[in-house]
Amino acid sequence: KADGHTRDGRLSPVPSPRNGTVDIHSIPQRAQAPERPDGAWFTSAPLEQDLEVTGPLMAQLWVSSDKDDMPVFLQIQDIDEDGQQLKFPFIVPGQQDEPVARGWLLASERKLDPGQSTFYTPYHTHDEKQPLHPGVMVPLQVEFWPTSLVFKKGHRIRLQIRLDDYFHAPIEGTP
């Protein structure tokens, strides 16, 4: 839940009684990373006990855009007591470490097959483009890579939302 133009909201197991919005603006200059204004994140309170998350994950977002399409990239992150993101070895040797889970979807590819979709696993047909229309909110169900992790007591869970996949892209002016 985030209100107004904030990009840093709370992630909670209890739904908020109020609706809120987050404005995310895509800015193509990589030189502004990592403090780019094109992302939003939702962070839980420190966990009161260990929490195991195993299996498929899915996020449902309501989005609108002034363009007819929009890519959405999500990450689930494990944030330690010092506020640092923990990363985990990628299964392909030589690749950069990864967050807990990633998910992505092109908004125009949001059409679901209800017969093959489950509560945690949306099945997108990819057989019809469904363009966005300015000011019209549409639901996106974004599947994450399955995972199995124990978030430790005192850690936080963060959902990060971005409009491009620059998580591993080189940042201008950095090694």
Side-chain angles (χ1 to χ4, degrees):
K1 167 84 176 96
D3 293 317
H5 298 285
T6 183
R7 293 177 294 111
D8 187 5
R10 279 201 302 199
L11 188 63
S12 171
V14 179
S16 172
R18 303 179 328 193
N19 289 326
T21 61
V22 177
D23 291 334
I24 301 175
H25 303 278
S26 182
I27 295 180
Q29 296 89 0
R30 295 207 185 281
Q32 294 185 17
E35 296 299 325
R36 292 174 50 161
D38 67 345
W41 44 93
F42 299 86
T43 307
S44 73
L47 297 173
E48 295 179 9
Q49 61 189 30
D50 289 357
L51 175 66
E52 178 181 349
V53 177
T54 299
L57 301 169
M58 187 269 294
Q60 179 158 326
L61 312 171
W62 285 84
V63 302
S64 70
S65 176
D66 60 355
K67 307 216 181 313
D68 66 353
D69 209 353
M70 175 176 64
V72 177
F73 295 89
L74 307 176
Q75 285 190 3
I76 300 289
Q77 301 171 344
D78 184 352
I79 308 299
D80 69 14
E81 297 93 338
D82 297 325
Q84 299 301 308
Q85 177 188 178
L86 300 181
K87 292 193 175 183
F88 305 91
F90 191 59
I91 87 173
V92 177
Q95 294 295 315
Q96 294 184 2
D97 292 342
E98 288 287 321
V100 174
R102 289 170 164 260
W104 55 90
L105 183 65
L106 192 59
S108 66
E109 298 283 335
R110 68 187 177 276
K111 181 181 174 189
L112 294 172
D113 180 334
Q116 295 191 62
S117 295
T118 67
F119 183 74
Y120 294 108
T121 309
Y123 184 89
H124 298 95
T125 63
H126 301 288
D127 64 354
E128 173 187 347
K129 294 280 188 187
Q130 295 182 327
L132 298 173
H133 302 284
V136 177
M137 300 286 283
V138 298
L140 295 185
Q141 293 179 332
V142 182
E143 180 180 12
F144 288 88
W145 290 350
T147 191
S148 183
L149 179 78
V150 175
F151 291 88
K152 296 295 187 182
K153 177 181 178 179
H155 285 209
R156 297 171 185 257
I157 300 171
R158 178 176 292 152
L159 170 65
Q160 189 171 56
I161 305 168
R162 294 208 172 150
L163 300 180
D164 62 12
D165 190 21
Y166 65 85
F167 296 109
H168 290 101
I171 299 170
E172 186 179 310
T174 63

